[in-house]
Amino acid sequence: MDAASLFLGLLLGALLGAAIALGIVTLLARRRPEEAGLEPVHESLDHLHRLLAGMERARATAHGELREQMGTVGQASAQLKHETAALVTALRTPHVRGRWGEVQLRRVVEVAGLLEHCDFVEQPGGTSDEGAGVRPDLVVTLADGRQVVVDAKVPFTGYIEAVQAEDRDVRAQRVAAHARQLRTHVDQLAARRYPTAFRPAAPFTVLFVPSDGFLTTALEAEPGLLEYGFARDVVLATPSTLLALLRTVAYSWRQERLARDADQVLEVGRRLHARLSTLSGHLTRLGSALSTTLTRYNETVGSYERSVLTAARRFDDLGVAESPVPEPAPVEATIRALRPSGDLGHLGPAPAEERDGTSG
């Protein structure tokens, strides 16, 4: 029983109750015509009549709206059925299936974080060791320079027929046919010998199945399908498993770049260390030269005082010179030697005169 039938039953019940109440009031009026206290009852019945009329109009409006909505749902359902049938028809076409698999593969690669023409190349051409031209859907480059070939051309007509089958036996037959189609495609892919056309390459080919349901359904009929592919160097991968594989490849590429950057930093550090060693040698020799210069200067000043200034002071004593000869003062300074690197960590803050550049 739907809502409209229930509402109609309630309305009829209310009308029947109102009719019964009106009949009772009429009988009472005939028995006691002298009583004038029935006016409120008549008013209540009129109010009930108006209320029931309003409810009937609301029911009719709601019923019309419900009918309109049901019509819209029917149109949407028919359109959805038509679009589904068109999609199924399109997926039966080989080039449409191949294009859908390529789009799925492209999406998985993008989600994995790989970069086109850097970490992977789409549909590259090559020649196998048997001289046959091949064109896989994707070639992924590993961090060590090797390449992994991915093919996405998977037949799944049997899967579509199995999904559409209503009979259990017919579905089992279609599932078995789907498994045979996938097994045949594994043989065809192994015969193309993709790894020999892209060297250096991994010794296997990845067969990309665009949906996890396709592979799961095939494994229902043939559980050893994965081992069958492994024995022929063909790895069956769904979007989830291929995503895990490609994320591992992307991670290895990031680690390779970090290692390469670390090698460059190490090389720059070695060059800087060699240059610092050369500069330290120059500073050591310069300090030695300065120390020798100070010693020679002080020796020259001492000799000057003993030999020359003594005679010059005689002129001062005789009053010949207008002013005394100035006496040069010796220079007292300490040349700071470079400390070993092991002692630098035990040093405290540099003195104020060293921080200001006023040392020695």
Short mmCIF file of all heavy atoms in Angstrom, two decimals, residues 9-64:
data_model
loop_
_atom_site.label_atom_id
_atom_site.label_comp_id
_atom_site.label_asym_id
_atom_site.label_seq_id
_atom_site.Cartn_x
_atom_site.Cartn_y
_atom_site.Cartn_z
N GLY A 9 -7.64 6.37 2.19
CA GLY A 9 -8.42 5.61 3.18
C GLY A 9 -8.74 6.45 4.41
O GLY A 9 -9.85 6.40 4.94
N LEU A 10 -7.73 7.22 4.87
CA LEU A 10 -7.98 8.08 6.03
C LEU A 10 -9.04 9.13 5.72
O LEU A 10 -9.89 9.47 6.57
CB LEU A 10 -6.67 8.74 6.45
CG LEU A 10 -5.59 7.80 7.01
CD1 LEU A 10 -4.31 8.57 7.28
CD2 LEU A 10 -6.08 7.15 8.30
N LEU A 11 -8.97 9.67 4.49
CA LEU A 11 -9.95 10.69 4.11
C LEU A 11 -11.37 10.11 4.07
O LEU A 11 -12.33 10.73 4.57
CB LEU A 11 -9.56 11.26 2.75
CG LEU A 11 -10.48 12.36 2.19
CD1 LEU A 11 -10.49 13.57 3.13
CD2 LEU A 11 -10.01 12.79 0.81
N LEU A 12 -11.51 8.93 3.49
CA LEU A 12 -12.84 8.30 3.45
C LEU A 12 -13.34 7.99 4.85
O LEU A 12 -14.54 8.12 5.15
CB LEU A 12 -12.77 7.01 2.61
CG LEU A 12 -12.51 7.21 1.11
CD1 LEU A 12 -12.37 5.85 0.41
CD2 LEU A 12 -13.65 8.02 0.48
N GLY A 13 -12.43 7.56 5.73
CA GLY A 13 -12.84 7.29 7.11
C GLY A 13 -13.33 8.54 7.81
O GLY A 13 -14.32 8.53 8.55
N ALA A 14 -12.62 9.66 7.54
CA ALA A 14 -13.04 10.92 8.16
C ALA A 14 -14.41 11.35 7.64
O ALA A 14 -15.28 11.83 8.39
CB ALA A 14 -11.98 11.99 7.90
N LEU A 15 -14.60 11.22 6.32
CA LEU A 15 -15.90 11.58 5.74
C LEU A 15 -17.02 10.69 6.30
O LEU A 15 -18.13 11.17 6.60
CB LEU A 15 -15.84 11.45 4.21
CG LEU A 15 -14.95 12.50 3.50
CD1 LEU A 15 -14.88 12.19 2.01
CD2 LEU A 15 -15.51 13.91 3.71
N LEU A 16 -16.75 9.39 6.45
CA LEU A 16 -17.75 8.49 7.00
C LEU A 16 -18.08 8.86 8.44
O LEU A 16 -19.26 8.87 8.85
CB LEU A 16 -17.23 7.05 6.92
CG LEU A 16 -18.19 5.97 7.45
CD1 LEU A 16 -19.48 5.97 6.63
CD2 LEU A 16 -17.53 4.60 7.37
N GLY A 17 -17.03 9.21 9.21
CA GLY A 17 -17.29 9.63 10.59
C GLY A 17 -18.12 10.90 10.65
O GLY A 17 -19.01 11.05 11.49
N ALA A 18 -17.80 11.83 9.73
CA ALA A 18 -18.57 13.08 9.71
C ALA A 18 -20.02 12.81 9.34
O ALA A 18 -20.96 13.41 9.90
CB ALA A 18 -17.93 14.05 8.72
N ALA A 19 -20.26 11.89 8.38
CA ALA A 19 -21.64 11.57 7.98
C ALA A 19 -22.41 10.92 9.14
O ALA A 19 -23.59 11.23 9.37
CB ALA A 19 -21.61 10.63 6.77
N ILE A 20 -21.73 10.04 9.85
CA ILE A 20 -22.39 9.40 10.99
C ILE A 20 -22.75 10.44 12.05
O ILE A 20 -23.85 10.44 12.63
CB ILE A 20 -21.50 8.31 11.57
CG1 ILE A 20 -21.34 7.16 10.54
CG2 ILE A 20 -22.05 7.78 12.88
CD1 ILE A 20 -20.36 6.09 10.97
N ALA A 21 -21.79 11.34 12.31
CA ALA A 21 -22.06 12.38 13.31
C ALA A 21 -23.20 13.28 12.88
O ALA A 21 -24.07 13.67 13.69
CB ALA A 21 -20.78 13.20 13.53
N LEU A 22 -23.26 13.60 11.57
CA LEU A 22 -24.35 14.44 11.07
C LEU A 22 -25.69 13.72 11.17
O LEU A 22 -26.73 14.32 11.53
CB LEU A 22 -24.07 14.81 9.60
CG LEU A 22 -25.07 15.74 8.94
CD1 LEU A 22 -25.15 17.08 9.69
CD2 LEU A 22 -24.69 15.99 7.48
N GLY A 23 -25.71 12.42 10.92
CA GLY A 23 -26.96 11.66 11.05
C GLY A 23 -27.44 11.63 12.49
O GLY A 23 -28.65 11.76 12.76
N ILE A 24 -26.51 11.45 13.40
CA ILE A 24 -26.89 11.43 14.82
C ILE A 24 -27.46 12.77 15.23
O ILE A 24 -28.49 12.86 15.94
CB ILE A 24 -25.69 11.06 15.68
CG1 ILE A 24 -25.27 9.60 15.38
CG2 ILE A 24 -25.98 11.24 17.15
CD1 ILE A 24 -23.99 9.19 16.07
N VAL A 25 -26.81 13.84 14.78
CA VAL A 25 -27.31 15.17 15.14
C VAL A 25 -28.71 15.40 14.57
O VAL A 25 -29.60 15.99 15.21
CB VAL A 25 -26.31 16.24 14.64
CG1 VAL A 25 -26.90 17.63 14.79
CG2 VAL A 25 -25.02 16.13 15.43
N THR A 26 -28.97 14.92 13.34
CA THR A 26 -30.29 15.09 12.71
C THR A 26 -31.37 14.34 13.49
O THR A 26 -32.47 14.85 13.72
CB THR A 26 -30.24 14.61 11.26
OG1 THR A 26 -29.19 15.32 10.57
CG2 THR A 26 -31.56 14.83 10.56
N LEU A 27 -31.06 13.13 13.91
CA LEU A 27 -32.02 12.36 14.70
C LEU A 27 -32.33 13.05 16.02
O LEU A 27 -33.50 13.12 16.45
CB LEU A 27 -31.48 10.94 14.95
CG LEU A 27 -31.40 10.04 13.72
CD1 LEU A 27 -30.74 8.70 14.10
CD2 LEU A 27 -32.80 9.79 13.16
N LEU A 28 -31.28 13.56 16.63
CA LEU A 28 -31.52 14.27 17.89
C LEU A 28 -32.36 15.52 17.67
O LEU A 28 -33.20 15.88 18.50
CB LEU A 28 -30.17 14.63 18.55
CG LEU A 28 -29.35 13.43 19.06
CD1 LEU A 28 -27.98 13.93 19.57
CD2 LEU A 28 -30.11 12.71 20.16
N ALA A 29 -32.14 16.18 16.54
CA ALA A 29 -32.93 17.40 16.26
C ALA A 29 -34.40 17.06 16.02
O ALA A 29 -35.30 17.82 16.41
CB ALA A 29 -32.34 18.12 15.05
N ARG A 30 -34.67 15.91 15.37
CA ARG A 30 -36.05 15.52 15.14
C ARG A 30 -36.73 15.14 16.46
O ARG A 30 -37.93 15.36 16.64
CB ARG A 30 -36.10 14.35 14.18
CG ARG A 30 -35.73 14.75 12.74
CD ARG A 30 -35.75 13.54 11.84
NE ARG A 30 -35.42 13.91 10.46
CZ ARG A 30 -35.31 13.02 9.47
NH1 ARG A 30 -35.54 11.72 9.72
NH2 ARG A 30 -35.02 13.45 8.27
N ARG A 31 -36.01 14.53 17.39
CA ARG A 31 -36.61 14.14 18.65
C ARG A 31 -36.88 15.35 19.54
O ARG A 31 -37.89 15.41 20.23
CB ARG A 31 -35.70 13.16 19.39
CG ARG A 31 -35.62 11.80 18.71
CD ARG A 31 -34.70 10.88 19.49
NE ARG A 31 -34.59 9.56 18.85
CZ ARG A 31 -33.85 8.57 19.32
NH1 ARG A 31 -33.16 8.73 20.45
NH2 ARG A 31 -33.81 7.41 18.67
N ARG A 32 -35.97 16.28 19.53
CA ARG A 32 -36.14 17.44 20.41
C ARG A 32 -36.01 18.71 19.59
O ARG A 32 -35.03 19.41 19.60
CB ARG A 32 -35.08 17.44 21.52
CG ARG A 32 -35.29 16.29 22.51
CD ARG A 32 -34.24 16.33 23.59
NE ARG A 32 -32.92 16.09 23.04
CZ ARG A 32 -31.80 16.12 23.78
NH1 ARG A 32 -31.87 16.40 25.06
NH2 ARG A 32 -30.65 15.87 23.20
N PRO A 33 -37.06 19.00 18.80
CA PRO A 33 -36.97 20.19 17.96
C PRO A 33 -37.01 21.46 18.77
O PRO A 33 -36.64 22.53 18.26
CB PRO A 33 -38.22 20.08 17.07
CG PRO A 33 -39.17 19.24 17.86
CD PRO A 33 -38.36 18.28 18.65
N GLU A 34 -37.46 21.34 20.01
CA GLU A 34 -37.56 22.58 20.77
C GLU A 34 -36.21 23.06 21.26
O GLU A 34 -36.10 24.21 21.69
CB GLU A 34 -38.51 22.35 21.98
CG GLU A 34 -37.98 21.38 23.02
CD GLU A 34 -38.23 19.93 22.64
OE1 GLU A 34 -38.80 19.72 21.54
OE2 GLU A 34 -37.85 19.03 23.40
N GLU A 35 -35.21 22.16 21.21
CA GLU A 35 -33.88 22.57 21.71
C GLU A 35 -33.15 23.36 20.63
O GLU A 35 -33.10 22.94 19.48
CB GLU A 35 -33.07 21.35 22.12
CG GLU A 35 -33.67 20.59 23.29
CD GLU A 35 -32.82 19.40 23.68
OE1 GLU A 35 -31.74 19.22 23.03
OE2 GLU A 35 -33.19 18.67 24.61
N ALA A 36 -32.57 24.44 20.98
CA ALA A 36 -31.84 25.31 20.04
C ALA A 36 -30.34 25.28 20.29
O ALA A 36 -29.64 26.19 19.87
CB ALA A 36 -32.37 26.75 20.16
N GLY A 37 -29.84 24.26 20.95
CA GLY A 37 -28.40 24.21 21.28
C GLY A 37 -27.56 23.46 20.25
O GLY A 37 -26.44 23.05 20.55
N LEU A 38 -28.15 23.23 19.01
CA LEU A 38 -27.39 22.49 18.00
C LEU A 38 -26.59 23.38 17.07
O LEU A 38 -25.94 22.88 16.15
CB LEU A 38 -28.38 21.64 17.16
CG LEU A 38 -29.11 20.54 17.92
CD1 LEU A 38 -30.08 19.83 16.98
CD2 LEU A 38 -28.13 19.56 18.53
N GLU A 39 -26.64 24.67 17.25
CA GLU A 39 -25.89 25.57 16.38
C GLU A 39 -24.38 25.34 16.46
O GLU A 39 -23.69 25.30 15.44
CB GLU A 39 -26.23 27.03 16.73
CG GLU A 39 -27.63 27.44 16.32
CD GLU A 39 -27.83 27.38 14.83
OE1 GLU A 39 -26.83 27.59 14.09
OE2 GLU A 39 -28.94 27.09 14.38
N PRO A 40 -23.81 25.16 17.64
CA PRO A 40 -22.35 24.89 17.68
C PRO A 40 -21.98 23.61 16.95
O PRO A 40 -20.90 23.53 16.36
CB PRO A 40 -22.05 24.79 19.18
CG PRO A 40 -23.13 25.58 19.84
CD PRO A 40 -24.35 25.34 19.01
N VAL A 41 -22.90 22.61 17.00
CA VAL A 41 -22.59 21.35 16.30
C VAL A 41 -22.56 21.58 14.81
O VAL A 41 -21.67 21.08 14.09
CB VAL A 41 -23.61 20.28 16.68
CG1 VAL A 41 -23.35 19.00 15.88
CG2 VAL A 41 -23.55 19.99 18.17
N HIS A 42 -23.52 22.35 14.31
CA HIS A 42 -23.53 22.66 12.88
C HIS A 42 -22.28 23.43 12.47
O HIS A 42 -21.70 23.17 11.40
CB HIS A 42 -24.80 23.46 12.53
CG HIS A 42 -26.05 22.64 12.55
ND1 HIS A 42 -26.31 21.62 11.65
CD2 HIS A 42 -27.12 22.67 13.40
CE1 HIS A 42 -27.48 21.07 11.91
NE2 HIS A 42 -28.00 21.69 12.99
N GLU A 43 -21.86 24.35 13.31
CA GLU A 43 -20.64 25.12 12.99
C GLU A 43 -19.41 24.20 12.96
O GLU A 43 -18.55 24.31 12.09
CB GLU A 43 -20.44 26.22 14.02
CG GLU A 43 -21.52 27.30 13.96
CD GLU A 43 -21.31 28.37 15.02
OE1 GLU A 43 -20.33 28.20 15.82
OE2 GLU A 43 -22.09 29.33 15.07
N SER A 44 -19.38 23.27 13.92
CA SER A 44 -18.24 22.33 13.94
C SER A 44 -18.23 21.44 12.71
O SER A 44 -17.18 21.16 12.12
CB SER A 44 -18.29 21.47 15.21
OG SER A 44 -18.19 22.28 16.37
N LEU A 45 -19.45 21.02 12.30
CA LEU A 45 -19.52 20.19 11.10
C LEU A 45 -19.12 20.97 9.85
O LEU A 45 -18.43 20.43 8.95
CB LEU A 45 -20.93 19.62 10.95
CG LEU A 45 -21.32 18.57 11.98
CD1 LEU A 45 -22.78 18.17 11.80
CD2 LEU A 45 -20.41 17.36 11.87
N ASP A 46 -19.50 22.21 9.79
CA ASP A 46 -19.07 23.04 8.64
C ASP A 46 -17.56 23.21 8.62
O ASP A 46 -16.92 23.14 7.56
CB ASP A 46 -19.76 24.41 8.71
CG ASP A 46 -21.26 24.30 8.48
OD1 ASP A 46 -21.68 23.28 7.88
OD2 ASP A 46 -21.98 25.23 8.91
N HIS A 47 -17.00 23.43 9.81
CA HIS A 47 -15.54 23.58 9.88
C HIS A 47 -14.85 22.28 9.46
O HIS A 47 -13.82 22.30 8.73
CB HIS A 47 -15.14 23.95 11.32
CG HIS A 47 -13.66 24.06 11.50
ND1 HIS A 47 -12.91 25.07 10.95
CD2 HIS A 47 -12.79 23.26 12.19
CE1 HIS A 47 -11.64 24.90 11.27
NE2 HIS A 47 -11.54 23.80 12.04
N LEU A 48 -15.45 21.15 9.89
CA LEU A 48 -14.87 19.86 9.52
C LEU A 48 -14.98 19.64 8.01
O LEU A 48 -14.05 19.12 7.38
CB LEU A 48 -15.59 18.74 10.27
CG LEU A 48 -15.14 17.31 9.93
CD1 LEU A 48 -13.67 17.11 10.28
CD2 LEU A 48 -16.02 16.31 10.70
N HIS A 49 -16.09 20.07 7.44
CA HIS A 49 -16.26 19.93 6.00
C HIS A 49 -15.22 20.75 5.24
O HIS A 49 -14.62 20.26 4.26
CB HIS A 49 -17.68 20.36 5.61
CG HIS A 49 -17.92 20.29 4.13
ND1 HIS A 49 -18.03 19.10 3.45
CD2 HIS A 49 -18.06 21.29 3.20
CE1 HIS A 49 -18.23 19.35 2.17
NE2 HIS A 49 -18.24 20.68 2.00
N ARG A 50 -15.02 21.98 5.68
CA ARG A 50 -14.00 22.81 5.01
C ARG A 50 -12.61 22.21 5.17
O ARG A 50 -11.79 22.24 4.25
CB ARG A 50 -14.05 24.23 5.60
CG ARG A 50 -15.31 25.01 5.21
CD ARG A 50 -15.15 26.49 5.57
NE ARG A 50 -14.95 26.68 7.01
CZ ARG A 50 -15.95 26.88 7.87
NH1 ARG A 50 -17.23 26.86 7.45
NH2 ARG A 50 -15.71 27.04 9.16
N LEU A 51 -12.34 21.68 6.38
CA LEU A 51 -11.02 21.07 6.61
C LEU A 51 -10.80 19.87 5.70
O LEU A 51 -9.73 19.69 5.11
CB LEU A 51 -10.91 20.65 8.08
CG LEU A 51 -9.58 19.99 8.50
CD1 LEU A 51 -8.42 20.95 8.28
CD2 LEU A 51 -9.63 19.56 9.95
N LEU A 52 -11.85 19.04 5.57
CA LEU A 52 -11.74 17.87 4.70
C LEU A 52 -11.58 18.26 3.24
O LEU A 52 -10.83 17.62 2.47
CB LEU A 52 -12.95 16.96 4.87
CG LEU A 52 -13.07 16.27 6.23
CD1 LEU A 52 -14.38 15.49 6.32
CD2 LEU A 52 -11.88 15.35 6.46
N ALA A 53 -12.24 19.34 2.84
CA ALA A 53 -12.10 19.81 1.46
C ALA A 53 -10.67 20.29 1.19
O ALA A 53 -10.09 20.03 0.13
CB ALA A 53 -13.11 20.93 1.18
N GLY A 54 -10.13 21.01 2.18
CA GLY A 54 -8.74 21.46 2.03
C GLY A 54 -7.76 20.29 1.96
O GLY A 54 -6.80 20.29 1.18
N MET A 55 -8.01 19.28 2.80
CA MET A 55 -7.14 18.09 2.77
C MET A 55 -7.24 17.37 1.43
O MET A 55 -6.25 16.85 0.91
CB MET A 55 -7.52 17.14 3.92
CG MET A 55 -7.22 17.70 5.31
SD MET A 55 -7.80 16.61 6.63
CE MET A 55 -6.80 15.18 6.34
N GLU A 56 -8.43 17.34 0.86
CA GLU A 56 -8.60 16.70 -0.44
C GLU A 56 -7.83 17.45 -1.53
O GLU A 56 -7.20 16.84 -2.39
CB GLU A 56 -10.09 16.63 -0.78
CG GLU A 56 -10.39 16.08 -2.18
CD GLU A 56 -9.93 14.65 -2.35
OE1 GLU A 56 -9.72 13.96 -1.33
OE2 GLU A 56 -9.75 14.22 -3.50
N ARG A 57 -7.90 18.78 -1.49
CA ARG A 57 -7.15 19.56 -2.48
C ARG A 57 -5.64 19.34 -2.31
O ARG A 57 -4.91 19.21 -3.30
CB ARG A 57 -7.49 21.04 -2.33
CG ARG A 57 -8.89 21.40 -2.82
CD ARG A 57 -9.05 22.90 -2.92
NE ARG A 57 -8.89 23.56 -1.63
CZ ARG A 57 -9.89 23.80 -0.78
NH1 ARG A 57 -11.13 23.42 -1.09
NH2 ARG A 57 -9.66 24.39 0.37
N ALA A 58 -5.18 19.32 -1.04
CA ALA A 58 -3.75 19.08 -0.79
C ALA A 58 -3.34 17.69 -1.28
O ALA A 58 -2.26 17.49 -1.84
CB ALA A 58 -3.44 19.23 0.69
N ARG A 59 -4.23 16.70 -1.07
CA ARG A 59 -3.92 15.34 -1.53
C ARG A 59 -3.81 15.29 -3.05
O ARG A 59 -2.91 14.64 -3.61
CB ARG A 59 -4.99 14.38 -1.05
CG ARG A 59 -4.68 12.91 -1.39
CD ARG A 59 -5.93 12.08 -1.36
NE ARG A 59 -6.87 12.49 -2.40
CZ ARG A 59 -6.75 12.13 -3.68
NH1 ARG A 59 -5.74 11.37 -4.07
NH2 ARG A 59 -7.63 12.53 -4.56
N ALA A 60 -4.74 15.98 -3.72
CA ALA A 60 -4.71 15.99 -5.19
C ALA A 60 -3.42 16.66 -5.69
O ALA A 60 -2.79 16.19 -6.64
CB ALA A 60 -5.95 16.71 -5.73
N THR A 61 -3.03 17.76 -5.03
CA THR A 61 -1.79 18.45 -5.43
C THR A 61 -0.56 17.56 -5.22
O THR A 61 0.31 17.44 -6.08
CB THR A 61 -1.63 19.75 -4.65
OG1 THR A 61 -2.78 20.58 -4.87
CG2 THR A 61 -0.38 20.50 -5.08
N ALA A 62 -0.51 16.92 -4.03
CA ALA A 62 0.62 16.04 -3.73
C ALA A 62 0.67 14.86 -4.69
O ALA A 62 1.74 14.43 -5.12
CB ALA A 62 0.55 15.55 -2.29
N HIS A 63 -0.52 14.33 -5.03
CA HIS A 63 -0.56 13.20 -5.95
C HIS A 63 -0.04 13.62 -7.32
O HIS A 63 0.69 12.86 -7.99
CB HIS A 63 -2.00 12.68 -6.06
CG HIS A 63 -2.12 11.45 -6.90
ND1 HIS A 63 -1.64 10.22 -6.51
CD2 HIS A 63 -2.66 11.27 -8.15
CE1 HIS A 63 -1.87 9.33 -7.45
NE2 HIS A 63 -2.50 9.95 -8.46
N GLY A 64 -0.40 14.84 -7.76
CA GLY A 64 0.10 15.33 -9.05
C GLY A 64 1.62 15.51 -9.04
O GLY A 64 2.30 15.17 -10.01
#
